[in-house]
Every structure is written in structure tokens, then in C-alpha cells.
Amino acid sequence: MASARQEILNKLKKAVHNEPEKPDFDAPVYFPLEEPLEESFKANLAKVNGSVHLCHSKAELYSELKTFLDRFVKELIVCNESNLKSNLQKHLVPFTSTSQLPNDLQVGITSCEYLIAHTGSVMISSAQGSERRLFVFPEIHVVIADSEQVVAYLEEAYSSIKKKYPDQLPSHISLLTGPSRTADIEKTLVLGAHGPRQFHVFINQNFNK
């Protein structure tokens, strides 16, 4: 009866003489995504405890956002981006604009650069007009986007942002994938450990409305 050592040596000999299977370089690297991409983004963000609100028009988006924010105090809802502030005011959505973020900040409203359907990630940058603190400090982070900002894979997001800022990239580009989380303590998942406890993305599916 062959020893354990001999069995290992025999297996190694067979491995050397057998032709290894060649990889299929033409096979797709990623699994296919559902169409439209907003649905894939929604499904993948939900897997990491994020929430996506798909709206058929800008009016519907801000109406749904207003309903969502009704339970919060206006002074604890902050948005500092010019384009967003104009739309929030137009649709009578309560918010405050200030560089001095309140210690008990509840909701931060920002835009984004791109939404990555494959991972459910949100690409943000320092060029948006929101300070980095607004992505980290609030209990709830709300992102407002259009369907044109949804891309399939991360490579597309990076190539698109390079085209968007051809002369100089923003000093800070980051990816957000759901609420902040950690399982460092006794392997128990805790949301909101290093950032927002809730993560909501509102998408206008009809850019022209």
C-alpha cells in the first residue's frame, strides 16, 4: 500500500504530464445584467441594505423625496449643491444649506457622478459641490441621480469620469456601496459604524421629464 507521501508524488507526476486546460479568453468576465440597468442597480444595492426609488419624472422624484423627508426636521436636512438646491426649492422640499453641519445632522442630500449597476455602487467626487463630510456625517444619505448616469460596470464609470474632466480629475473620487458597515466586533454586522446608517438613491428614469 502506497504511503501518503508516495500518493502525493504520484499526483504531482500526473499533473506534470497532463496538459492543463487553457482558459477561454473570449468568455465574458462579468455576468450579464438585467435591462434596464436601473433594475440591476436597484437589485444589487438592495443586497447591501441600500434602497433605490425609481421615478418616472423629476416631479415624481421630488414628490416622493418630500414624502420621505416629512418625518425629519428641516434644519437637520442639509444640501449644499447649487443645482440640487434649486430643484429642492422649486418642488418645496424642506432642507437647509450650511457649511456648519449640525452635530445631530439627520439627512444629507447629494448628487453623484455615476451609478454602477454591476455592484450597486455610487461614484462620488469632490467636484460635485458637497464637502466630504456630507457623505459621512449624516444618519441618512440621500443621492439624487438620472438614469443617464447609470453604467453597467466599473470600467465604464472610470472611463466616463476621465472624459467628463479631461483637463484635471477631481482631487477625491470614491465609491459608496450601501450604508457604512462593520463586523469587527464578535462578527456581528453593524450598520452605520463609520458613516450613514441608511442609504437611499432616487433615480429619475425619464431625463426629459
Side-chain angles (χ1 to χ4, degrees):
M1 186 175 183
S3 65
R5 177 176 179 277
Q6 190 59 48
E7 287 182 7
I8 294 173
L9 291 173
N10 291 337
K11 289 180 181 179
L12 290 173
K13 287 179 181 178
K14 289 180 180 179
V16 170
H17 293 296
N18 290 338
E19 185 73 20
E21 184 178 347
K22 293 183 179 179
D24 182 3
F25 292 106
D26 295 324
V29 177
Y30 302 121
F31 57 79
L33 297 172
E34 294 180 16
E35 294 291 344
L37 291 177
E38 298 99 298
E39 295 292 346
S40 291
F41 175 79
K42 180 177 181 178
N44 287 322
L45 184 56
K47 292 176 182 177
V48 290
N49 304 102
S51 176
V52 176
H53 307 253
L54 298 178
C55 306
H56 298 294
S57 68
K58 183 181 290 186
E60 180 183 326
L61 185 154
Y62 284 100
S63 175
E64 191 168 326
L65 177 61
K66 186 175 185 297
T67 301
F68 175 79
L69 295 174
D70 277 346
R71 55 197 167 112
F72 302 104
V73 179
K74 176 182 177 181
E75 286 71 26
L76 302 181
I77 304 170
V78 174
C79 176
N80 288 330
E81 297 183 33
S82 299
N83 291 338
L84 288 184
K85 289 194 293 183
S86 176
N87 282 316
L88 291 170
Q89 290 168 342
K90 178 180 177 181
H91 292 89
L92 305 178
V93 179
F95 77 98
T96 299
S97 181
T98 175
S99 59
Q100 300 296 321
L101 301 183
N103 293 329
D104 51 352
L105 175 63
Q106 292 181 318
V107 183
I109 303 175
T110 74
S111 65
C112 67
E113 295 290 357
Y114 298 100
L115 307 175
I116 298 103
H118 177 228
T119 58
S121 300
V122 177
M123 177 178 280
I124 59 169
S125 85
S126 54
Q128 293 170 214
S130 289
E131 293 185 36
R132 298 182 190 183
R133 294 180 300 163
L134 204 54
F135 300 122
V136 179
F137 279 10
E139 186 80 3
I140 298 171
H141 184 185
V142 171
V143 175
I144 297 176
D146 292 310
S147 58
E148 283 74 8
Q149 293 174 278
V150 186
V151 298
Y153 300 106
L154 186 58
E155 289 90 338
E156 293 176 57
Y158 279 122
S159 61
S160 296
I161 201 168
K162 287 171 69 176
K163 292 177 183 177
K164 186 176 180 180
Y165 305 101
D167 298 325
Q168 184 175 1
L169 285 173
S171 60
H172 174 73
I173 299 173
S174 185
L175 296 173
L176 306 176
T177 308
S180 170
R181 63 187 56 224
T182 184
D184 291 342
I185 302 174
E186 296 183 358
K187 298 183 180 180
T188 300
L189 181 63
V190 177
L191 298 181
H194 311 293
R197 187 183 298 274
Q198 294 183 34
F199 193 72
H200 298 267
V201 180
F202 288 76
I203 303 176
N204 176 14
Q205 292 184 281
N206 194 332
F207 182 71
N208 297 317
K209 288 186 178 181

